[in-house]
Amino acid sequence: MKRAALHSLGCKVNAYETEAMRQMLEQSGYEIVPFHEEADLYVINTCSVTNMADRKSRQMVHRARKLNPDAIVVAAGCYVQTNPDQAAEDMAVDIVIGNNRKQDLIALIENFEHNRSVSTPENEKQTRAVLDINLPGQDYEELKVDHPADHTRAFLKVQDGCNQFCTYCVIPYARGRARSRRPEDVVRETEELARNGFREIVLTGIHLSSYGLDIGCKLLDLICAVHAVEGIRRIRLGSLEPGIITEEFVRALAGMEKVCPHFHLSLQSGSDTVLRRMNRRYTTEEYYHKCELLRQYYEHPALTTDIIVGFPGETEEEFAGTCAFVQKVDFYEIHVFKYSRRRGTAADRMEGHLPESVKTERSHRLMEITKEQKEQFCTWYEGRTVEALFEESVRVNGETWWEGFTPEYVKTWFRTEESVQNRIMKVEFFRLLV
C-alpha cells in the first residue's frame, strides 16, 4: 500500500481542505502516515498570509523532498497561488495546485505518475505537472469531510474568497472573490458528521461574514439550518467582521442554545487613523458597541480578536491608543501579528515602514496585556460548575486527567481513569498546570 503524508499551514480553512485531501487519498487506497515519516507522496497545503508563512511553506516542501527524494511532492494553496513562478521553478515540487483546484488532486497524481513512467532523461523535466493556477472564479469548490482526524471537533468550510481588499492583505489575490457553499450541502455534511459521532462543529470561511451574499442567503439562515441537525451539540463560528454584529443577529444567536458564546471579532488596530489606512470599515467606537451588544445578551462571552502591530506609519501615539482600547474592551484572548509586507498590496506602497525591532517590541507589550486579560477571564470560572467537551488525556503523577473545553473555549480538567473522550459533562472548573 502506498503511503501519503500531509501538512497544513495557516488558517482553519486550510486545515479543512487538507482533511478533504486526506480523505480523497484514503479513498484512493493510500495509507496516511505522519509527515515526519518516509512516504511515497507528500502534500503540503501552503499559506501566504505573511512572509514567515511563505518561508515555512518552502521549508516544508524541501523537508518532504529530503525525507524521500523519490517521493511525489505536491504543493497546494495560497503560497503557490501568489508565487506561481517561484513554485513552478522549485525542483523540490512535482505538482503545483492552486486554490479552487484541490478536488483534482487524485487525477493530477495519476497523470504525473503516468508521465514519469514513460519519461526519458531527455524529457524528464517535462514530467513536472504544473496546474493552471489562475485566480479562482465565482464557482465554489465542493470539498467534503465526513470523518476528520480529530475525534471531537470538526471544522466545516462554508465560504471561500474575500472582497474586502484590506490594504495589508494578500488573501483576496490568493483566494479570489467571495463565494458561498450551498446551504443544503452544508447541512448534508453536518448530518454525516453527527452520524459519525461529532458533537461540535466550527463553521469557517475566509470571510465568513459575507456568507450567502452571492447566493441569496444569510449566515444567520445557515446557522439556523445547522442548529436543527440532531446530534450536534455545539456550533462555533469562525472569525466575524464587526459589521455583522447587529441586535437582530445577536438576539437570534442567543436564542440558539447550541451556539457557543465564543466570538472572534476581527479588530486589527485600536487606532481609528490606522484602521482607515488599513481600509477597515468601522471605527473603534462602533467596534466597542458590538462587544457591548454581545455582553448584553450573554453573561460571560469570550471575545477574541486579531491585532497587527507596526503597520506602516503607526506612531507611538497610535500604538498607545491600541493598547488603551484593548484594555477597554477586555478581551479573552488576542492573536498578535507583526505587520508583514506583502508584495502587490496597497500597504506595500505606503511610506513609513517600521523597523523589525519596533514591531517586535510592540508585539511583546501587547502580548503582556493579553496574557493578563486571559488570566482574569479564566479566574471568573473558579468555584463554578462548567460544561466541557473532553478531548484527550494526560498522565500526571500516576493519575489520568482529561482535557476539555467550555463553550467559551476555556480549558478545564477532570480526573478519571474512565475514558470521557467526546463526552460533554458538567464538572467543577479546574486548571491543571502541565
Side-chain angles (χ1 to χ4, degrees):
M1 179 181 289
K2 292 183 178 179
R3 293 154 58 93
L6 301 93
H7 184 79
S8 180
L9 296 107
C11 65
K12 297 299 187 292
V13 170
N14 260 18
Y16 175 89
E17 293 169 345
T18 302
E19 280 292 296
M21 290 189 285
R22 177 188 64 81
Q23 195 163 304
M24 285 184 238
L25 290 166
E26 285 180 334
Q27 292 169 350
S28 296
Y30 283 85
E31 176 191 359
I32 307 301
V33 300
F35 194 84
H36 63 267
E37 293 187 10
E38 184 175 322
D40 303 290
L41 171 74
Y42 294 92
V43 179
I44 300 94
N45 200 9
T46 64
C47 177
S48 192
V49 71
T50 63
N51 289 322
M52 180 61 73
D54 281 354
R55 190 176 308 120
K56 287 182 178 179
S57 296
R58 292 191 295 269
Q59 288 173 348
M60 295 310 297
V61 165
H62 287 265
R63 183 178 301 176
R65 179 58 68 203
K66 289 180 181 178
L67 285 167
N68 184 1
D70 296 323
I72 298 174
V73 177
V74 179
C78 291
Y79 166 67
V80 298
Q81 185 77 54
T82 56
N83 299 271
D85 294 338
Q86 188 172 358
E89 293 170 1
D90 190 336
M91 296 306 294
V93 181
D94 294 309
I95 300 174
V96 178
I97 306 179
N99 285 320
N100 233 37
R101 300 297 297 276
K102 298 180 178 76
Q103 60 190 347
D104 298 324
L105 174 66
I106 302 303
L108 281 167
I109 294 169
E110 292 174 350
N111 183 64
F112 177 84
E113 289 178 324
H114 170 75
N115 289 342
R116 187 164 65 174
S117 69
V118 298
S119 69
T120 65
E122 290 75 23
N123 69 4
E124 182 178 358
K125 191 174 182 179
Q126 297 176 13
T127 66
R128 290 171 47 76
V130 180
L131 183 65
D132 176 9
I133 52 175
N134 290 331
L135 196 64
Q138 287 299 310
D139 294 332
Y140 182 89
E141 181 183 31
E142 189 61 40
L143 297 171
K144 180 179 139 179
V145 177
D146 56 23
H147 57 280
D150 192 310
H151 297 293
T152 59
R153 180 181 301 107
F155 292 96
L156 210 171
K157 177 186 170 186
V158 303
Q159 186 276 338
D160 206 340
C162 182
N163 300 342
Q164 298 302 295
F165 289 94
C166 299
T167 58
Y168 53 82
C169 188
V170 75
I171 297 306
Y173 306 99
R175 287 279 178 173
R177 291 288 182 166
R179 51 206 184 278
S180 307
R181 189 177 186 186
R182 293 180 302 176
E184 57 268 29
D185 293 332
V186 175
V187 170
R188 189 177 301 113
E189 185 169 327
T190 304
E191 291 171 341
E192 291 181 5
L193 290 166
R195 282 194 293 270
N196 287 331
F198 287 88
R199 297 292 171 259
E200 180 177 311
I201 63 168
V202 184
L203 299 181
T204 187
I206 295 299
H207 192 255
L208 186 61
S209 297
S210 67
Y211 174 83
L213 298 181
D214 55 326
I215 57 174
C217 185
K218 292 181 180 179
L219 178 60
L220 187 58
D221 298 330
L222 181 70
I223 298 170
C224 289
V226 171
H227 191 272
V229 175
E230 292 186 10
I232 296 299
R233 296 276 301 277
R234 287 182 175 181
I235 300 170
R236 292 192 190 277
L237 304 178
S239 180
L240 298 173
E241 290 294 313
I244 201 172
I245 305 298
T246 63
E247 183 151 12
E248 177 189 10
F249 184 80
V250 177
R251 187 190 304 117
L253 291 186
M256 291 185 273
E257 60 180 11
K258 296 180 183 180
V259 176
C260 294
H262 173 208
F263 302 100
H264 187 89
L265 292 187
S266 181
L267 175 59
Q268 307 305 351
S269 176
S271 163
D272 286 333
T273 50
V274 174
L275 288 174
R276 285 196 294 271
R277 296 202 299 276
M278 288 178 165
N279 194 33
R280 301 294 293 173
R281 302 172 188 190
Y282 49 82
T283 65
T284 53
E285 181 180 355
E286 291 167 342
Y287 186 98
Y288 183 74
H289 171 69
K290 308 295 186 177
C291 295
E292 291 300 288
L293 192 56
L294 287 165
R295 287 178 170 136
Q296 178 182 332
Y297 281 86
Y298 292 96
E299 181 184 12
H300 191 62
L303 305 183
T304 65
T305 197
D306 300 317
I307 292 181
I308 297 172
V309 299
F311 189 76
E314 183 185 64
T315 64
E316 180 60 34
E317 182 181 10
E318 288 172 327
F319 177 69
T322 290
C323 293
F325 186 69
V326 163
Q327 297 278 21
K328 178 181 178 181
V329 174
D330 195 15
F331 292 100
Y332 164 45
E333 194 170 38
I334 302 170
H335 302 148
V336 182
F337 299 90
K338 294 185 287 185
Y339 168 74
S340 182
R341 192 169 187 167
R342 310 306 290 140
R343 186 179 67 252
T345 62
D348 179 44
R349 301 185 293 273
M350 290 181 179
E351 297 180 353
H353 286 265
L354 302 179
E356 195 67 21
S357 59
V358 172
K359 291 188 281 187
T360 298
E361 188 270 337
R362 291 179 181 176
S363 175
H364 288 162
R365 284 161 61 187
L366 200 54
M367 285 191 288
E368 282 300 312
I369 294 174
T370 188
K371 182 179 178 181
E372 294 175 5
Q373 290 185 336
K374 184 172 184 176
E375 175 64 23
Q376 292 172 2
F377 187 90
C378 293
T379 299
W380 183 87
Y381 293 91
E382 293 181 354
R384 297 174 183 264
T385 297
V386 297
E387 186 181 81
L389 172 61
F390 289 94
E391 300 189 354
E392 58 185 1
S393 64
V394 296
R395 295 286 290 178
V396 179
N397 297 327
E399 299 176 322
T400 300
W401 289 85
W402 285 86
E403 177 190 75
F405 289 88
T406 72
E408 298 84 6
Y409 207 65
V410 174
K411 186 185 296 185
T412 188
W413 295 87
F414 181 64
R415 184 179 59 189
T416 178
E417 296 301 320
E418 176 188 359
S419 175
V420 293
Q421 187 179 54
N422 203 29
R423 286 175 58 183
I424 295 178
M425 303 166 51
K426 289 187 176 181
V427 297
E428 183 178 349
F429 179 74
F430 185 79
R431 282 195 276 183
L432 178 68
L433 301 178
V434 294

